[in-house]
Amino acid sequence: MSTSQKNIHVAVLAYGNRSRELGLVLDRLESLGIERIVVIANCVSQSVLNTIQSHALRGRTKIDSRNFTHNIGSAGGYSEAIRAAFCDPSCNAVWLLDDDNLPAPDCFGKLLEAYRLTGISIPTLLACRRPSLPEMQRIDPTQWQRYPARGSCIGFNLINILMRLRSPPSLKIDPSGLIPLAWTVYGGLLLPRAVFNTGELPMESLHLYGDDMEWTARLSRNGFRIMLVPEARIDDLQPPWSAAGETTSNLLRRICYLDDHRVYFEARNRNWLALTAFKGNALFYRLNRSLYLLAALIIAVRYQRIRRFRLLRQAIRDAELGKLGDCLPGKLDAK
């Protein structure tokens, strides 16, 4: 085993009752010769805890498990995982995985090749390809190669529509064969110790959804590179929530397919990010918000989902007021 492989640890964030999926992921990591795995058990079932314990007792890989009985969210979970992994001074990089992110047998090898190729002149985060994500199905994550347009409302922006009609964006590929990104998701991300040294960790007040976008976009704006390794494939053992409704639009997905929890936090956090990190002209934001809510209302009426429309509107309002945290709103506005 090479020195660089010895110094790369894995951090796995476990949720709920996915013991079967977690077991498969831990089996794969053990077969790859990973020396240390940190498992953050985020409000999990006893079955998941049993799976972690049984793999730890095998002794093939050192497993450091940290159990939280309350939901600390993805931002809190990955922050804890990064701190736990880098507390070992020999750890030079951490590979982040969800408990249902199953690396292909050659995934880690491809990631190591890219890790050696990128060098240390510019600190680089490496992302794996996850075909189950809508943006990754054709290895064409063009929307991840640019920051959200300023003045957007939950990602909706009239400029984006006009630009697509005029000239659809083309994929940029580095001479190395890697694909530069402006932001990415947690699952499959390899990050160097330089990230931890800067203190740039996920924003825990965002709790869930959109926190990975905020964090990785913040890192890339602060001088880190993010590169997608197309040949490093990770298969999701459960369909990602963002793929609900298959090829439907994000708006239709929020109105008709996702649950309240996901809709509220994802919409609130994305809108808060648009109003802070990517703030634009206030009048243009109001125009985009009005158009977005009008389209949402039409769809909600069509599918008899008025309550969902109110929740979406509340998420937009809370983002504007800077109301973050881990609580869903109580009684929704009845208007």
Side-chain angles (χ1 to χ4, degrees):
M1 184 185 297
S2 68
T3 302
S4 59
Q5 184 170 341
K6 286 183 179 180
N7 296 339
I8 295 178
H9 298 168
V10 178
V12 179
L13 188 55
Y15 301 91
N17 190 33
R18 299 196 293 208
S19 57
R20 182 189 72 85
E21 291 85 351
L22 176 62
L24 292 172
V25 171
L26 293 178
D27 285 342
R28 178 60 51 82
L29 293 175
E30 288 175 355
S31 72
L32 294 173
I34 301 298
E35 291 203 343
R36 183 179 179 228
I37 303 172
V38 174
V39 181
I40 303 299
N42 187 13
C43 199
V44 300
S45 67
Q46 186 60 48
S47 176
V48 170
L49 294 176
N50 293 342
T51 297
I52 296 170
Q53 184 178 29
S54 66
H55 280 78
L57 290 174
R58 291 181 189 179
R60 300 176 189 171
T61 299
K62 181 181 178 182
I63 296 181
D64 177 9
S65 175
R66 306 196 177 192
N67 184 26
F68 292 85
T69 56
H70 62 286
N71 187 355
I72 60 175
S74 53
Y78 275 115
S79 292
E80 182 65 27
I82 292 166
R83 285 190 290 262
F86 282 123
C87 74
D88 185 338
S90 70
C91 178
N92 291 334
V94 174
W95 193 19
L96 305 181
L97 295 172
D98 276 353
D99 56 5
D100 63 341
N101 292 160
L102 182 66
D106 64 347
C107 178
F108 190 56
K110 297 295 184 182
L111 205 57
L112 276 177
E113 290 176 17
Y115 180 63
R116 299 185 186 109
L117 179 67
T118 55
I120 60 174
S121 57
I122 301 177
T124 304
L125 290 75
L126 297 174
C128 296
R129 183 171 72 91
R130 292 167 55 188
S132 59
L133 294 173
E135 300 86 352
M136 293 283 186
Q137 288 173 358
R138 297 182 302 277
I139 319 183
D140 187 20
T142 49
Q143 64 176 292
W144 290 7
Q145 292 195 311
R146 60 189 187 277
Y147 301 120
R150 294 188 179 275
S152 300
C153 178
I154 322 181
F156 174 83
N157 196 302
L158 195 56
I159 288 179
N160 289 343
I161 298 174
L162 297 176
M163 287 181 64
R164 288 194 196 101
L165 293 175
R166 181 179 177 184
S167 57
S170 57
L171 184 67
K172 300 174 184 176
I173 301 178
D174 189 78
S176 65
L178 305 181
I179 299 174
L181 303 176
W183 59 277
T184 188
V185 295
Y186 293 124
L189 187 62
L190 181 74
L191 58 139
R193 177 174 279 274
V195 171
F196 179 69
N197 291 342
T198 63
E200 297 280 359
L201 295 178
M203 185 175 171
E204 297 185 33
S205 59
L206 293 180
H207 190 57
L208 294 166
Y209 311 117
D211 48 302
D212 48 4
M213 178 184 182
E214 185 281 329
W215 178 54
T216 55
R218 176 172 16 118
L219 290 172
S220 66
R221 296 200 313 276
N222 289 342
F224 288 88
R225 288 189 307 180
I226 304 175
M227 306 292 278
L228 171 67
V229 185
E231 295 181 345
R233 194 189 83 246
I234 286 179
D235 296 313
D236 287 281
L237 298 175
Q238 288 193 359
W241 69 269
S242 59
E246 299 179 349
T247 58
T248 60
S249 68
N250 281 336
L251 179 53
L252 186 60
R253 187 178 291 116
R254 288 167 183 145
I255 295 294
C256 296
Y257 293 96
L258 300 178
D259 59 37
D260 285 353
H261 196 257
R262 285 180 171 141
V263 168
Y264 175 77
F265 285 110
E266 192 259 347
R268 185 201 67 181
N269 293 348
R270 286 289 302 273
N271 203 44
W272 179 86
L273 187 56
L275 290 165
T276 52
F278 306 108
K279 185 177 181 179
N281 180 275
L283 290 176
F284 191 52
Y285 165 74
R286 290 195 199 88
L287 172 62
N288 284 319
R289 179 184 60 180
S290 297
L291 292 173
Y292 185 83
L293 286 175
L294 176 60
L297 180 59
I298 292 171
I299 294 174
V301 170
R302 165 67 177 80
Y303 292 98
Q304 299 182 3
R305 304 277 287 177
I306 294 298
R307 183 184 176 279
R308 175 54 57 80
F309 168 77
R310 292 179 184 143
L311 180 65
L312 191 59
R313 184 177 60 182
Q314 187 66 53
I316 292 173
R317 289 175 177 173
D318 286 351
E320 293 169 347
L321 295 171
K323 290 184 177 180
L324 302 179
D326 60 357
C327 295
L328 276 168
K331 185 178 179 181
L332 293 177
D333 188 347
K335 295 180 182 178

